[in-house]
Amino acid sequence: DAKTTQPPSMDCAEGRAANLPCNHSTISGNEYVYWYRQIHSQGPQYIIHGLKNNETNEMASLIITEDRKSSTLILPHATLRDTAVYYCIVRGGSGGSNYKLTFGKGTLLTVNP
Amino acid sequence: DSGVTQTPKHLITATGQRVTLRCSPRSGDLSVYWYQQSLDQGLQFLIQYYNGEERAKGNILERFSAQQFPDLHSELNLSSLELGDSALYFCASSLIRDSPLHFGNGTRLTVT
């Protein structure tokens, strides 16, 4: 799996957009970018994933650069409940033999009132 | 609610004992994954099953074993427990092997 690099921590004001960056410069062509978050000792929660196009769902937007070497997770209107550790993970896609998720240390996002 | 059910939520046992953790995947999901999360190690992949067959192994100790049954539920067996086995154990499931994983809320194991 390609390795990812994330800042260890970030702060965001409640109601503002939270933009979480991730570098994955060694990503392969068939590898997806996944984002999960973990709220204090709960199970990791799936947020979104993408291959090369930008993706949006009810939770967040994922912006992947054209060269696919980095991505940004955007929470459009952060709330206090979004305080969590956010993990950016590169995962083998269809045809690959590696379907597990390899978690790094992630980014602790703290949303402040 | 992810739809993945793990039991028990908490488990306290003594060193040297054996425990079984149970996971019921989301309805229809064929793949089950087990992860261990301790304070100093983060989330570590242990093992994956797909439709009853072992498909991938991670940092799983020989004292640990798992299986996925015909009804697709899975059990993780931990034996000869040591203090260092105290951790959160998460199960995740996915529809097929490259679908997103959905995690349960874990079993907190405390070995005293």
Side-chain angles (χ1 to χ4, degrees):
Chain A
D1 290 336
K3 289 189 67 174
T4 62
T5 304
Q6 299 179 252
S9 64
M10 293 182 64
D11 285 316
C12 177
E14 190 177 19
R16 305 296 294 268
N19 296 277
L20 292 93
C22 179
N23 286 320
H24 32 78
S25 58
T26 60
I27 193 169
S28 300
N30 67 344
E31 289 180 317
Y32 286 74
V33 179
Y34 276 75
W35 283 84
Y36 280 76
R37 72 181 182 184
Q38 186 174 26
I39 298 170
H40 184 59
S41 295
Q42 294 180 21
Q45 179 187 23
Y46 166 74
I47 302 174
I48 199 167
H49 74 285
L51 183 63
K52 50 184 162 183
N53 297 322
N54 298 338
E55 302 288 344
T56 296
N57 63 21
E58 65 279 2
M59 288 184 68
S61 295
L62 173 60
I63 309 297
I64 302 174
T65 57
E66 195 168 336
D67 63 6
R68 301 186 70 237
K69 293 185 177 181
S70 66
S71 61
T72 302
L73 179 74
I74 301 172
L75 307 179
H77 306 286
T79 70
L80 299 178
R81 287 181 296 179
D82 292 322
T83 292
V85 177
Y86 287 76
Y87 297 98
C88 169
I89 301 164
V90 170
R91 184 191 190 199
S94 295
S97 61
N98 194 353
Y99 296 101
K100 70 180 187 291
L101 297 173
T102 300
F103 288 82
K105 295 188 188 306
T107 296
L108 173 59
L109 174 69
T110 303
V111 181
N112 300 304
Chain B
D1 181 9
S2 68
V4 177
T5 303
Q6 290 188 248
T7 56
K9 286 187 170 52
H10 301 277
L11 200 47
I12 302 174
T13 190
T15 54
Q17 294 298 305
R18 172 189 165 96
V19 296
T20 297
L21 312 183
R22 183 186 168 101
C23 170
S24 294
R26 294 190 320 162
S27 177
D29 283 1
L30 298 176
S31 204
V32 168
Y33 303 73
W34 286 97
Y35 283 80
Q36 179 193 54
Q37 186 173 35
S38 54
L39 279 174
D40 56 346
Q41 292 289 332
L43 274 156
Q44 299 286 316
F45 168 72
L46 295 178
I47 198 163
Q48 178 210 353
Y49 283 84
Y50 178 76
N51 205 19
E53 294 185 9
E54 181 185 306
R55 285 306 176 110
K57 236 174 183 176
N59 301 321
I60 187 165
L61 300 172
E62 285 192 12
R63 301 182 286 108
F64 296 1
S65 65
Q67 60 184 123
Q68 187 180 26
F69 294 87
D71 67 353
L72 301 176
H73 91 272
S74 178
E75 292 180 357
L76 179 67
N77 300 295
L78 315 177
S79 62
S80 302
L81 285 167
E82 302 174 359
L83 295 177
D85 297 327
S86 295
L88 273 165
Y89 291 84
F90 290 106
C91 169
S93 72
S94 65
L95 177 61
I96 55 176
R97 285 179 293 175
D98 57 351
S99 307
L101 275 63
H102 297 274
F103 285 78
N105 276 326
T107 293
R108 182 177 292 279
L109 174 66
T110 303
V111 182
T112 62

